Amino acid sequence: MIRTDEHHSCKGTPMCHSDQKQLQSNSMKNGYHKKEKVQKNGKGDGFHQPRVRGEDSFEEAPMYVAVLTYMGYGIVILFGYFRDFLRAVGFEKCHQAQEREEQKDFVPLYQDFENFYKRNLYTRVRDNWNRPICSLPGPVFDVMERVSDDYNWTFRLTGRTIENVINMGSYNYLGFAENNVDFLKTVAEETRQYGVGVCSTRQELGNLSTHEKLERLVAEFLGVESAMAFGMGFATNSMNIPALVGKGCLILSDELNHTSLILGARLSGATIRVFKHNNMQSLEKMLKDAICSGQPRTHRAWKKILIMVEGIYSMEGSLVRLPEILALKKKYKAYLYLDEAHSIGAVGPTGRGVTEYFGVDPNEVDVLMGTFTKSFGAAGGYIAGKKELVDYLRSHSHSAVYATAMSPPVVEQIIRAIKCIMGVDGTTEGQRRVRQLAENTRYLRSRLKEMGFIIYGNQDSPVVPLLLYLPGKVGAFSRAMLKRKIGVVVVGFPATPITEARARFCVSAAHTREMLDKVLQSLDELGDDIKLKFSRHRSSYRPELYDETDFELDS
Amino acid sequence: MDMKSMREYVCWLYYQYLLITGIYVLEPWEKSIFNTVLCTMVAMVIYTSYVFVPIHVRLALEFFSELVRGQPESTVALMNSP
């Protein structure tokens, strides 16, 4: 392809003959055409090999599980209609918000399925969410005990605390949610110097020197030219996408993108098309159609085509197919927006995210976005990329212009976390944590697979969804785990498809082997008790893997 | 001893039934309603099968045995008439 272009470009000029011969000889030197490279190794030192990504597993449950799930939902929905009837007739008091008498003839506010679901299904098992916590969300935490006297419509705290509950739900991937005094010295210093509130936006009087330091550090950490930090992770997506694309642009967004990306895309006013999750054929077909037919009615060319994907999808634990998307992006001249909320700090040999995991040059991704909430133990988000892009966002993004700047202790926490991971502070603590996280992830995933649970996602992602399917088991699982002093997050209908309720574990570098073993043992018992081991690919029982030999080889 | 483990096993089976049908999330009086309705339907099925199945089986057996007996008679009649 390139050769013929060069050939054509030389046609008109008088000196082209000799140049042509040279060009031809240059490109034919190696004996093959210089094809488009799928992935470029940006480092060039050979240390970071381009990694072949393991396959994501999305095993399907046996048929009887799907049938029973539908049956369970059917029965509970029937009872929901029965209870609604009782409330309408007046036998039962309605605890949820209701329209006033005068408004009964207007368009009904609470009749749609979402409100029905909330009244009749969600409220019955509501005690598994929004549990109040009274310690920092480290690897173990304290949960306040609460009971309900009227079937989860109201709660009251008993005053007792459930202590040392193992935390399998917090996004604490590298264990930076800690209150160790030694690690937090610089944060305390910074608070003493700058206080806590900034009282202004970045554009007015809120641009502190710590913010500039943070942005330079983030750019260096990621390996790009420039970066900008925002106070809120959700707002980073929803307020910056409208600044990048507008009417006349096309957004190709993955099926399972996060709400912040969807909200930003909708706010921007661009045309949105959704491609199937991680499906490159679907994406390529859409790109081809978009370029061939152009905008909907006028058939003009699209101003911009933006592909929006995430590094790790938080409900499935699957990794993005980055090399293929980069190849497609180059071929069809589209832009790529990569949301690394869960993957920054958590994947990659040194914690730099999916670009490092795949051995790809981060400068090839047009917009790198991430959050500081998950791996860095702070709050906020960043957008990184070329200097022109970030300078443009500084003046045109809603979040940059109107939102209050980040608070100085939070900024310092991010700075010390990044320095720790990079090793700049002189210790190997950061790298130890990254390696520990990878080890914990592999251990937990392989053991859960062995036991026979259905786990979604890539083998290297620290987000581990364990499928529960049946609505009755969702509540029972969460309550039983809390009784065994393990705190888990279960997710049901609006966030996941209705038949695929799951429990989501977030592995942390701060979890020790004993904690993981306790969790695995409880899951084993509970899996047999509640019958959760649906997997049909159960591998044969393997004996315990020993860390070091504890038997003598020659006695 | 055996009674105790039997009781535990039956309790565990009831727990599985609660989880699988989704009744686990309902309030106790709703559980009772569902159990009553289900038991009534099962009782009706058992009663109907107890009353009607032997009669139907006997009738079906008579029908088929008549078919078999009827065959040799009609062939004999055919052979006898020239």
Side-chain angles (χ1 to χ4, degrees):
Chain A
M1 261 301 154
I2 297 179
R3 241 177 97 235
T4 48
D5 281 350
E6 290 170 346
H7 197 82
H8 279 278
S9 66
C10 275
K11 269 251 160 81
T13 51
M15 292 296 288
C16 68
H17 264 287
S18 51
D19 290 349
Q20 253 185 26
K21 279 226 176 57
Q22 242 186 3
L23 283 167
Q24 279 190 5
S25 63
N26 276 346
S27 54
M28 283 305 279
K29 219 195 241 174
N30 294 332
Y32 62 93
H33 275 254
K34 204 163 162 240
K35 293 220 182 69
E36 314 245 21
K37 278 222 182 78
V38 168
Q39 48 198 25
K40 237 160 100 179
N41 201 345
K43 305 279 176 175
D45 54 359
F47 177 59
H48 301 292
Q49 302 296 330
R51 176 95 63 99
V52 175
R53 163 190 183 281
E55 266 316 300
D56 288 343
S57 72
F58 287 102
E59 189 186 334
E60 264 197 38
M63 178 62 93
Y64 73 88
V65 174
V67 170
L68 290 175
T69 310
Y70 280 117
M71 183 185 85
Y73 271 110
I75 292 176
V76 186
I77 287 179
L78 273 178
F79 271 98
Y81 280 124
F82 176 56
R83 293 293 290 271
D84 270 351
F85 167 70
L86 290 182
R87 283 187 201 111
V89 167
F91 278 154
E92 197 189 328
K93 185 165 101 84
C94 183
H95 296 264
Q96 206 200 14
Q98 246 184 337
E99 297 128 322
R100 286 184 304 160
E101 268 310 312
E102 304 86 51
Q103 294 172 327
K104 282 279 162 82
D105 290 326
F106 290 9
V107 174
L109 290 173
Y110 304 111
Q111 292 290 84
D112 55 348
F113 185 66
E114 204 179 298
N115 278 296
F116 174 84
Y117 181 86
K118 193 151 167 261
R119 262 198 310 268
N120 297 310
L121 277 84
Y122 174 69
T123 310
R124 294 189 197 271
V125 281
R126 197 160 74 114
D127 59 305
N128 297 316
W129 289 279
N130 303 4
R131 291 188 184 134
I133 297 172
C134 54
S135 76
L136 71 98
V140 291
F141 63 163
D142 303 332
V143 179
M144 300 187 77
E145 197 186 4
R146 62 178 182 165
V147 291
S148 171
D149 301 315
D150 51 357
Y151 299 104
N152 290 347
W153 287 103
T154 57
F155 292 105
R156 69 185 161 85
L157 299 168
T158 59
R160 277 192 296 269
T161 323
I162 309 174
E163 303 201 344
N164 288 341
V165 178
I166 297 183
N167 186 354
M168 295 303 290
S170 291
Y171 304 131
N172 186 16
Y173 298 129
L174 291 176
F176 281 115
E178 58 198 351
N179 52 5
N180 188 329
V181 175
D182 297 323
F183 290 145
L184 296 178
K185 272 206 183 44
T186 47
V187 179
E189 255 305 308
E190 205 67 17
T191 316
R192 238 172 259 140
Q193 189 184 359
Y194 284 106
V196 177
V198 184
C199 309
S200 185
T201 67
R202 289 291 295 277
Q203 274 218 338
E204 295 172 7
L205 287 175
N207 197 16
L208 306 175
S209 58
T210 41
H211 292 131
E212 311 249 308
K213 216 167 39 165
L214 170 67
E215 289 173 359
R216 268 198 302 274
L217 198 60
V218 168
E220 192 190 323
F221 177 70
L222 295 170
V224 286
E225 279 180 24
S226 173
M228 177 166 186
F230 302 92
M232 185 176 156
F234 187 99
T236 309
N237 269 334
S238 51
M239 297 291 118
N240 284 312
I241 296 177
L244 294 172
V245 290
K247 266 208 169 68
C249 303
L250 175 66
I251 293 184
L252 293 172
S253 128
D254 189 291
E255 202 177 17
L256 300 173
N257 268 342
H258 190 251
T259 314
S260 56
L261 290 164
I262 300 178
L263 185 61
R266 286 189 188 158
L267 278 175
S268 67
T271 313
I272 307 175
R273 298 209 181 132
V274 173
F275 64 92
K276 293 203 193 347
H277 178 58
N278 260 354
N279 189 331
M280 295 299 111
Q281 287 81 19
S282 167
L283 176 60
E284 179 159 22
K285 183 170 182 304
M286 283 198 178
L287 278 165
K288 276 190 191 149
D289 287 340
I291 292 181
C292 291
S293 39
Q295 297 190 25
R297 276 175 299 113
T298 56
H299 294 293
R300 285 194 206 146
W302 294 102
K303 285 200 207 133
K304 254 179 259 186
I305 301 183
L306 185 67
I307 307 176
M308 285 201 319
V309 286
E310 291 188 35
I312 291 184
Y313 291 90
S314 57
M315 277 303 147
E316 271 72 26
S318 50
L319 245 56
V320 67
R321 294 183 195 275
L322 197 56
E324 286 98 324
I325 293 191
L326 284 174
L328 277 175
K329 164 185 112 80
K330 282 201 196 94
K331 181 174 174 194
Y332 292 101
K333 301 205 174 39
Y335 297 102
L336 181 60
Y337 185 101
L338 181 63
D339 177 345
E340 289 206 83
H342 285 267
S343 54
I344 190 73
V347 292
T350 59
R352 270 21 177 209
V354 279
T355 48
E356 194 194 19
Y357 180 80
F358 287 109
V360 162
D361 183 12
N363 287 306
E364 291 190 10
V365 180
D366 302 293
V367 189
L368 279 164
M369 179 264 169
T371 58
F372 299 121
T373 334
K374 279 88 182 182
S375 298
F376 302 101
Y382 66 84
I383 287 204
K386 295 233 159 16
K387 191 165 179 312
E388 297 92 48
L389 170 77
V390 177
D391 286 343
Y392 177 81
L393 281 178
R394 274 187 220 279
S395 47
H396 286 87
S397 152
H398 299 288
S399 184
V401 173
Y402 295 108
T404 317
M406 252 174 156
S407 178
V410 174
V411 174
E412 188 55 37
Q413 157 72 4
I414 304 169
I415 290 180
R416 76 118 186 146
I418 295 184
K419 281 194 177 147
C420 185
I421 299 176
M422 278 169 54
V424 169
D425 60 347
T427 65
T428 50
E429 178 67 17
Q431 290 308 308
R432 182 196 72 82
R433 286 184 190 203
V434 173
R435 272 195 303 271
Q436 180 75 32
L437 175 66
E439 201 185 304
N440 283 354
T441 307
R442 269 196 299 271
Y443 180 63
L444 190 73
R445 273 181 174 267
S446 60
R447 285 292 303 274
L448 284 175
K449 273 225 171 62
E450 260 178 54
M451 285 184 195
F453 293 103
I454 294 188
I455 307 283
Y456 274 4
N458 194 295
Q459 65 193 24
D460 289 313
S461 95
V463 176
V464 185
L466 191 154
L467 275 275
L468 300 172
Y469 296 106
L470 279 75
K473 294 190 182 177
V474 165
F477 182 80
S478 186
R479 286 177 197 148
M481 287 298 267
L482 189 60
K483 229 192 289 262
R484 288 177 162 78
K485 307 240 281 187
I486 300 172
V488 296
V489 168
V490 288
V491 204
F493 169 51
T496 65
I498 197 160
T499 48
E500 291 175 9
R502 60 198 72 173
R504 186 181 65 175
F505 299 107
C506 291
V507 186
S508 164
H511 284 136
T512 60
R513 192 48 83 94
E514 290 84 40
M515 288 182 208
L516 289 180
D517 282 335
K518 178 162 181 272
V519 170
L520 285 164
Q521 192 199 0
S522 308
L523 280 173
D524 206 3
E525 285 168 9
L526 211 56
D528 288 327
D529 199 24
I530 300 186
K531 295 282 210 215
L532 291 171
K533 299 188 178 176
F534 299 118
S535 178
R536 282 172 286 196
H537 303 311
R538 270 184 96 144
S539 54
S540 59
Y541 175 73
R542 279 201 298 254
E544 279 274 3
L545 298 164
Y546 294 100
D547 278 359
E548 69 262 342
T549 56
D550 54 359
F551 50 82
E552 279 157 337
L553 286 167
D554 41 40
S555 51
Chain B
M1 277 259 280
D2 203 37
M3 275 313 293
K4 193 160 154 39
S5 61
M6 274 302 287
R7 254 183 64 86
E8 262 185 37
Y9 183 63
V10 172
C11 277
W12 183 79
L13 277 179
Y14 180 62
Y15 183 53
Q16 292 305 306
Y17 154 74
L18 287 181
L19 286 176
I20 288 177
T21 52
I23 304 294
Y24 175 83
V25 304
L26 297 179
E27 297 174 24
W29 58 274
E30 291 167 329
K31 282 188 185 127
S32 319
I33 293 181
F34 185 81
N35 286 339
T36 314
V37 167
L38 191 67
C39 285
T40 315
M41 292 203 324
V42 169
M44 286 198 286
V45 165
I46 293 178
Y47 175 72
T48 313
S49 59
Y50 174 73
V51 168
F52 287 109
V53 165
I55 299 177
H56 283 305
V57 166
R58 192 164 52 81
L59 283 173
L61 277 176
E62 272 183 18
F63 177 72
F64 281 119
S65 63
E66 189 160 322
L67 258 181
V68 171
R69 257 186 293 121
Q71 244 186 6
E73 280 178 15
S74 56
T75 46
V76 163
L78 275 171
M79 278 176 61
N80 277 346
S81 61

